[in-house]
Coordinates of all heavy atoms in Angstrom, one line a residue:
G23 N 1.5 -8.5 9.1 CA 2.1 -8.6 10.4 C 1.4 -9.6 11.3 O 1.1 -10.7 10.9
K24 N 1.2 -9.1 12.6 CA 0.6 -10.0 13.6 C -0.9 -9.9 13.6 O -1.6 -10.5 14.4 CB 1.1 -9.6 14.9 CG 2.6 -10.2 15.2 CD 3.1 -10.0 16.6 CE 3.1 -8.6 17.1 NZ 3.8 -8.3 18.2
T25 N -1.5 -9.0 12.7 CA -2.9 -8.9 12.7 C -3.5 -10.2 12.1 O -2.9 -11.0 11.6 CB -3.4 -7.7 11.8 OG1 -3.2 -8.1 10.4 CG2 -2.6 -6.5 12.1
D26 N -4.9 -10.2 12.2 CA -5.5 -11.4 11.5 C -6.0 -11.1 10.2 O -6.9 -11.7 9.6 CB -6.7 -11.9 12.4 CG -7.8 -10.9 12.6 OD1 -7.6 -9.7 12.2 OD2 -8.9 -11.2 13.2
L27 N -5.5 -9.9 9.6 CA -5.9 -9.5 8.3 C -5.0 -10.2 7.2 O -3.8 -10.2 7.3 CB -5.8 -8.0 8.1 CG -6.5 -7.2 9.2 CD1 -6.1 -5.7 8.9 CD2 -8.0 -7.4 9.0
E28 N -5.6 -10.8 6.2 CA -5.0 -11.5 5.1 C -5.3 -10.6 3.9 O -6.4 -10.4 3.5 CB -5.5 -12.8 4.8 CG -5.1 -13.9 5.8 CD -3.9 -14.7 5.3 OE1 -3.6 -14.8 4.2 OE2 -3.1 -15.1 6.3
V29 N -4.3 -9.9 3.4 CA -4.5 -8.9 2.4 C -3.9 -9.4 1.0 O -3.0 -10.2 0.9 CB -3.8 -7.5 2.7 CG1 -4.4 -6.9 3.8 CG2 -2.3 -7.7 3.0
S30 N -4.6 -9.0 0.0 CA -4.2 -9.3 -1.4 C -2.8 -8.7 -1.7 O -2.5 -7.6 -1.2 CB -5.1 -8.9 -2.4 OG -5.5 -7.6 -2.3
V31 N -2.0 -9.5 -2.4 CA -0.6 -8.9 -2.7 C -0.7 -7.6 -3.6 O 0.0 -6.7 -3.4 CB 0.2 -10.0 -3.5 CG1 1.5 -9.5 -4.1 CG2 0.6 -11.2 -2.4
V32 N -1.7 -7.6 -4.5 CA -2.0 -6.4 -5.2 C -3.1 -5.7 -4.5 O -4.2 -6.2 -4.3 CB -2.5 -6.7 -6.7 CG1 -2.7 -5.4 -7.5 CG2 -1.5 -7.6 -7.4
A33 N -2.8 -4.4 -4.1 CA -3.8 -3.6 -3.4 C -4.2 -2.4 -4.2 O -3.5 -1.9 -5.0 CB -3.3 -3.3 -2.0
F34 N -5.4 -1.9 -3.8 CA -6.1 -0.8 -4.5 C -5.8 0.5 -3.7 O -6.5 0.7 -2.7 CB -7.6 -1.1 -4.7 CG -8.3 -0.2 -5.7 CD1 -8.8 -0.7 -6.9 CD2 -8.4 1.2 -5.4 CE1 -9.5 0.1 -7.8 CE2 -9.1 2.0 -6.3 CZ -9.6 1.5 -7.5

Side-chain angles (χ1 to χ4, degrees):
K24 285 190 298 201
T25 74
D26 65 353
L27 304 174
E28 287 267 330
V29 288
S30 51
V31 167
V32 181
F34 193 113

